[in-house]
């Protein structure tokens, strides 16, 4: 058992794989990540120092990679709001225990119900793109039934989605669901485990686990519509399919889904879709490298400044009325999107370089 | 110098120092451990994503979309092996089950919008997207791609190209939405490549204004008709058209063969072609027409028509020319086959090379760890030249597709010749590559789940359908001979098909061939030009001589088959080299361009080593031929450290490779045995 901290400024050295460490437990009951950092990033960008934010991201991403490929089991207890990088610190570990208090907000700068100029980051094009297309408990998904993947991925990535504990379990992003009243006993039990054997630890958590009910309005209860619409080739096709569905039946959920899409930055939607579709075929390392490139281009703003504009509209000026550029989907060319996936043409820029890992899990390798 | 030193060190490490010995001792380990190639292999020396973009050539994002889409449904039979998910059809299902699954997969792709605009978009971009998606589906399963390929490219293509407005309006939209399911009834039991010899006969009844189509004898039964045995509702039937006792040659007619409920129509008999060595997910069938009556409008009348009272009308009087004009637009099949053969070779090589980077066999000294397969120079020689050829052909397939989607009537001849040359040589290359890869994987290559062995059966058909490879290659030599006659007899320069090099003086190859010369594109291109020029001259001279002795031209062409074969190969390989040099020239200076140069040299020198013409006709001296062979071995050792990055650049998602490409120990462990 070891305690864990990510704030000592030497991220590369935080995770030391020593034999006496058996399990790492992360437990931050309130929020895992503060949105205050957004202000700092925007401040940097506005002062021309986007690269310094890029280097912070770089360290963060290396840490995610180390966690994702860590040989010692890491259990994260998710009992509150988790957003952005906080998600990254937990989701890449081996066990994610959600409670009824848990709400996940995706993406680093995710804000409730507001579509920023955002796209999947913190490795989400990796972990989101592997969401299975059926119900099941997380552990089962991982072992046997998690075989085919649903378009929930596209749905979550293109909407400012939030997930609760039950949904996290259903889609395998959480491995267990434990009632918050059991947390103290669970932690005590984990402390006394003298093993880093994954099945053993899973069994210990399993003793406290339960199967929660999905809420009526959960996206999981719309899987058929999601799969039909969000598997389409382009963002335009997806929107069209959603509109068709909306005309076929009066459905608040589809209307809401459409509205949120129409508010979002057009170029971000295109970048997001392409990124998660590439991510579905890649390993975690390649996903982080690609996402880091996208982050850097977004902050640098050579194609579109929607990122800063979104932050302005939501966090700084709070007028909630972002002016996107390009203004609509039809004006976003493939060439513009291509830029976000290429290396940054800047002498001072550094590509994300991931350290060699001896314990890469099977899933960490993938083609291109 | 640094590079040579680095190489030497890498080889030394490979041979003397197992990278794994640092972390575990061989004697202490109870059993072999899988070590992923990513750990031991050097990082890619070039941008893998850029290389993939170059290889795929177009629509990379669309390709990834479809790769992803096919992992999103149970229909694509995902299986978890060794901690990974692989998708591939269950080839252990019965033929009937496989056919049903193919149809259901098509319905899924249809519902998800994969086929949108395939027949109605009509732009070059739309056409490229269609080709890209076809290639990806083909990497999942040959049956899937062939089944919808017949429907869209053959049936749909026939309506598009042989038909006119009235057919387009009536059929294209319904075809795109699978309201009708089409097939293509050209081949007969008695006639395949020789379409003009088919025996099905159609007559016209002016009173009823109907055609009557008939199968007069058993050898006229339609054969190998994909889709006919179970699903197709309509077919394009090819038949001789007999009007008032005059045979007007082969024409195409739309015939309904099943009703909407799948019942076979009256006067149609259909039988199954049975189980095959591959493609069992396609329902190939046989069709007999028993005086089937069809409306006059069902004649696909792009080049000829019948007036209501039965008069034959055509702007092209000569039946030979009419037939050629009629079939000319139907080149999509060969273009697609050329490209798809290369993607299949990529699957084989990616699996075999990844396996060779993780499987060891024999120690070269006592108490030493066993040697990685790909560290054996002989193993490199088996796989790496094929890898270079696959790269080269990939670029040529892209080149062909680009001409094809921007085709004009003037380009018809070029497209016809290039697609014939590439279809034949690439499908042969694929079969050879799969066989080598299968053997390179040892017993593991035999398992269906490892794909390579099974792909041999699946892809074998490519060497004979859409034109028998040998017949296609003969056509190339015949065309080149015709070009020769035009140029020499009328004293005009060669123009087109890349033959312009024939107009200048013959290049002189250097006497001494050091590495720098052997690897220069100038030398390689010159050598290929010398060969093609000489073979064309020899071929033409031999034919003219035979004709002078009184042989008929057709007979003379057939008798000169040996030179014809050499010439066809020389033409095809020269085109591929030319395309490769162009791709290289268009790449910005850097590590990727350097890698292309290495691969191009490997391609060119391997061709020179393999074709006996270079020695037989003395383009190379025996010493020079030996130098070429030595250089190939050197290139093998230079490409060896890049092997992983080179197959990663194929961009094939893990799920479409196979368990031996990854942790084959875990995949075969007792714990992964399904109880």
């Amino acid at each position: 058992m070891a305690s864990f901290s990510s704030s000592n400024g030497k991220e590369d050295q935080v995770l030391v794989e020593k034999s006496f460490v058996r399990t790492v437990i992360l437990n931050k009951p309130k929020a895992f990540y503060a949105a205050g950092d957004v202000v700092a990033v925007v401040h940097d960008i506005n002062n021309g120092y986007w690269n310094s934010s890029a280097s912070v991201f770089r360290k963060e991403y290396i840490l995610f990679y180390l966690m994702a490929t860590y040989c010692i089991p890491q259990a994260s207890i998710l009992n509150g709001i988790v957003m952005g990088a906080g998600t990254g610190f937990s989701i890449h570990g081996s066990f994610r225990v959600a409670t009824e208090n848990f709400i996940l907000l995706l993406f680093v700068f995710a804000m409730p119900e507001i579509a920023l100029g955002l796209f999947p980051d913190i490795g989400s094009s990796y972990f989101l793109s592997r969401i299975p297309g059926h119900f099941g408990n997380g552990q089962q998904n991982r072992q046997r039934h998690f075989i085919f993947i649903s378009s929930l991925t596209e749905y979550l990535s293109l909407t400012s989605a939030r997930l609760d504990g039950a949904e996290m379990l259903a889609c395998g992003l959480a491995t267990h669901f434990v009632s918050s009243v059991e947390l103290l006993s669970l932690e005590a039990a984990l402390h006394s485990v003298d093993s880093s054997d994954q099945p053993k630890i899973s069994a210990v958590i399993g003793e406290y686990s339960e199967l929660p009910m999905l809420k009526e309005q959960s996206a999981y209860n719309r899987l058929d519509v999601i799969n039909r619409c969000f598997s389409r080739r382009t963002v335009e096709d997806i929107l069209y399919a959603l509109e068709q569905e909306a005309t076929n039946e009066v459905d608040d959920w589809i209307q809401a889904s459409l509205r949120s899409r129409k508010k979002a930055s057009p170029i971000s939607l295109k970048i997001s879709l392409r990124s998660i579709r590439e991510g579905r075929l890649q390993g975690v390392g390649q996903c982080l490298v690609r996402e880091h490139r996208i982050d850097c281009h977004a902050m640098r703003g050579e194609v579109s400044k929607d990122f800063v504009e979104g932050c302005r509209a939501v966090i700084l000026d709070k007028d909630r009325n972002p002016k996107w550029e390009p203004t609509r989907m039809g004006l976003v060319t493939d060439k513009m999107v291509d830029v976000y996936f290429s290396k940054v043409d800047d002498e001072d820029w550094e590509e994300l370089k991931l350290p060699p890992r001896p314990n890469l899990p099977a899933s960490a390798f993938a083609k291109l | 110098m640094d590079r040579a030193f680095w190489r030497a060190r890498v080889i030394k490490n490979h041979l003397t120092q197992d990278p794994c010995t640092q972390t575990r001792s061989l004697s202490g380990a109870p059993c072999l451990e899988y070590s992923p190639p990513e750990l031991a292999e050097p990082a890619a020396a070039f941008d893998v994503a850029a290389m993939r973009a170059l290889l795929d050539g177009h629509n990379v994002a669309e390709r990834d979309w479809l790769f992803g889409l096919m992992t999103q449904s149970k229909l694509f039979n995902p299986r978890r092996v060794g901690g990974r998910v692989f998708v591939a059809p269950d080839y252990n299902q019965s033929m009937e089950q496989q056919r049903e699954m193919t149809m259901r997969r098509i319905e899924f792709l249809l519902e998800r919008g994969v086929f949108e605009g395939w027949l109605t978009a009509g732009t070059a971009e739309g056409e490229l997207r269609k080709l890209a998606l076809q290639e990806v589906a083909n990497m999942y399963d040959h049956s899937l791609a062939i089944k919808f390929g017949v429907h869209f490219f053959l049936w749909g293509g026939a309506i598009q190209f042989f038909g006119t407005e009235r057919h387009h309006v009536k059929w294209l939209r319904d075809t795109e939405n699978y309201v009708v399911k089409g097939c293509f009834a050209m081949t007969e039991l008695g006639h395949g490549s020789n379409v003009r010899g088919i025996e099905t006969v159609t007559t016209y009844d002016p009173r009823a204004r109907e055609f009557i189509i008939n199968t007069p004898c058993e050898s006229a039964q339609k054969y190998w008709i994909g889709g006919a045995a179970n699903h197709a509702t309509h077919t394009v039937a090819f038949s001789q058209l007999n009007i008032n006792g005059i045979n007007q040659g082969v024409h195409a007619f739309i015939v309904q063969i099943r009703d909407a409920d799948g019942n076979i129509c009256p006067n149609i008999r259909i039988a199954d072609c049975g189980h095959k060595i591959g493609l069992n997910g396609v329902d190939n069938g046989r069709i007999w027409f028993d005086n089937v009556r069809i409306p006059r409008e069902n004649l696909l009348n792009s080049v000829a028509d019948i007036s209501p009272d039965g008069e034959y009308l055509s702007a092209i009087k000569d039946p030979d020319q009419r037939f050629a004009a009629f079939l000319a637009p139907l080149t999509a099949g060969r273009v697609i086959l050329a490209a798809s053969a290369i993607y299949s070779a990529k699957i084989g090589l990616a699996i075999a090379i990844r396996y060779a980077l993780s499987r060891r066999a024999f120690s070269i000294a006592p108490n030493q760890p066993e040697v990685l397969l790909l560290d054996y120079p002989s193993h490199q020689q088996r796989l790496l030249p094929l890898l270079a050829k696959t790269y080269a052909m990939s670029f040529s397939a892209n080149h062909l597709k680009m001409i094809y989607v921007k085709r004009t009537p003037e380009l018809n001849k070029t497209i016809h010749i290039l697609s014939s040359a590439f279809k034949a040589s690439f499908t042969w290359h694929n079969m050879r590559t799969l066989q080598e890869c299968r053997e390179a994987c040892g017993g593991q290559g035999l398992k269906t789940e490892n794909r390579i062995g099974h792909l041999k059966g699946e892809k074998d058909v490519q060497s004979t359908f859409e034109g028998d490879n040998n017949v296609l290659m003969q056509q190339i030599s015949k065309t080149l001979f015709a070009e020769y006659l035009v140029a020499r007899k009328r004293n005009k320069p060669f123009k087109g098909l890349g033959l312009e090099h024939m107009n200048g003086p013959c290049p002189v190859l250097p006497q001494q061939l050091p590495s720098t010369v052997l690897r220069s594109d100038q030398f390689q291109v010159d050598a290929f030009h010398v060969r093609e020029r000489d073979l064309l001259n020899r071929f033409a001279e031999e034919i003219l001589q035979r004709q002078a002795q009184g042989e008929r031209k057709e007979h003379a062409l057939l008798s000169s088959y040996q030179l014809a074969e050499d010439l066809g190969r020389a033409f095809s390989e020269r085109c591929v080299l030319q395309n490769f040099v162009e791709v290289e020239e268009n790449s910005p200076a850097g590590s990727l361009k350097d890698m292309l140069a290495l691969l191009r040299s490997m391609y060119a020198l391997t061709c020179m080593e393999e074709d006996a013409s270079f020695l037989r006709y003395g383009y190379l001296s025996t010493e020079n031929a030996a130098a070429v062979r030595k250089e190939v071995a050197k290139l093998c050792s230079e490409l060896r450290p890049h092997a992983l990055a080179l197959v990663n650049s194929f961009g094939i998602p893990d799920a479409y490779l196979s368990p031996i490409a990854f942790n084959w120990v875990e995949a075969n462990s007792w714990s992964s045995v399904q109880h």
Side-chain angles (χ1 to χ4, degrees), chain A residues 37 75 136 167 197 205 219 266 309 350:
Chain A
D37 291 8
E167 289 170 322
D197 182 41
I205 308 175
E309 174 60 15
E350 269 181 61

Side-chain angles (χ1 to χ4, degrees), chain B residues 105 164 167 281 294 307 322 328 368 415 434 449 501 515 541 556 571 611 621 640 674:
Chain B
R105 286 175 190 131
T164 50
H167 304 109
I294 53 169
S307 72
R322 197 189 302 139
Q368 287 285 312
I415 294 173
L434 290 175
E449 72 171 18
H501 69 89
S515 241
E541 273 164 33
F571 170 80
D611 184 5
S621 66
R640 160 66 186 85
Q674 303 257 331

Side-chain angles (χ1 to χ4, degrees), chain A residues 26 75-80 82 90-91 95-104 163-170 172-183 186 205 208-212:
Chain A
L26 289 170
S76 306
I77 296 168
L78 307 164
N79 181 31
V82 175
S90 49
I91 209 101
F95 299 105
R96 288 88 55 189
V97 182
T99 74
E100 74 281 4
N101 298 325
F102 170 79
I103 295 172
L104 174 83
L163 291 171
D164 66 18
E167 289 170 322
M168 283 284 281
L169 187 72
L173 290 179
T175 55
H176 299 82
F177 185 93
V178 173
S179 164
S180 60
V181 297
E182 300 272 16
L183 283 187
L186 168 64
I205 308 175
Y208 298 88
S209 303
E210 51 189 273
L211 268 180

